[in-house]
Amino acid sequence: QVQLVESGGGLVQPGGSLRLSCAASGSIFSINAMGWYRQAPGKQRELVAVITSGGSTNYRDSVKGRFTISRDNAKNTVNLQMNSLKPEDTAVYYCNADINFRGGTSYRYWGQGTQVTVSS
């Protein structure tokens, strides 16, 4: 059984920073891509950033230059450093991971979500 546990959300003023972390645990053989998504009230879930096992990254345009995704392959963790936060970044943030198991099967797992609120 695999679990993804997120931490680091909260309330921050516009222009502030937060760091989200996500740790994957369980019978994991390896992990391909890991990413962060967000969902604001009344909106669809959207991709924020993704990082491959080799370290290649991709960001949605609205967060480029402000957010940085990173991972530690040895610890099966992925982080999202968010700077210069704006009210429109307010959402529930979810991490996900494409996990490989011995025997060749792969599944995408999701964390439970962590609330990020940007408000004065």
Side-chain angles (χ1 to χ4, degrees):
Q1 187 174 358
V2 172
Q3 281 191 315
L4 268 61
V5 178
E6 299 137 340
S7 60
L11 172 64
V12 64
Q13 292 186 342
S17 298
L18 281 176
R19 182 178 176 86
L20 305 182
S21 296
C22 175
S25 62
S27 301
I28 298 169
F29 178 68
S30 64
I31 303 178
N32 291 336
M34 302 183 81
W36 288 94
Y37 284 68
R38 66 187 181 188
Q39 187 167 18
K43 295 188 176 181
Q44 289 189 333
R45 190 173 297 190
E46 61 185 21
L47 174 67
V48 176
V50 63
I51 184 168
T52 68
S53 57
S56 297
T57 59
N58 194 29
Y59 299 88
R60 70 180 302 103
D61 286 346
S62 62
V63 307
K64 286 180 180 178
R66 300 188 297 123
F67 291 11
T68 302
I69 190 170
S70 62
R71 65 188 283 174
D72 185 329
N73 291 333
K75 297 180 178 180
N76 291 334
T77 58
V78 61
N79 302 304
L80 186 68
Q81 178 66 42
M82 305 185 293
N83 299 327
S84 302
L85 282 160
K86 305 175 180 181
E88 51 264 41
D89 295 317
T90 295
V92 178
Y93 284 69
Y94 299 89
C95 70
N96 73 2
D98 293 335
I99 294 176
N100 303 314
F101 298 93
R102 293 187 185 277
T105 59
S106 299
Y107 293 103
R108 173 167 290 185
Y109 286 83
W110 292 85
Q112 80 283 0
T114 185
Q115 177 70 47
V116 171
T117 303
V118 185
S119 175
S120 54

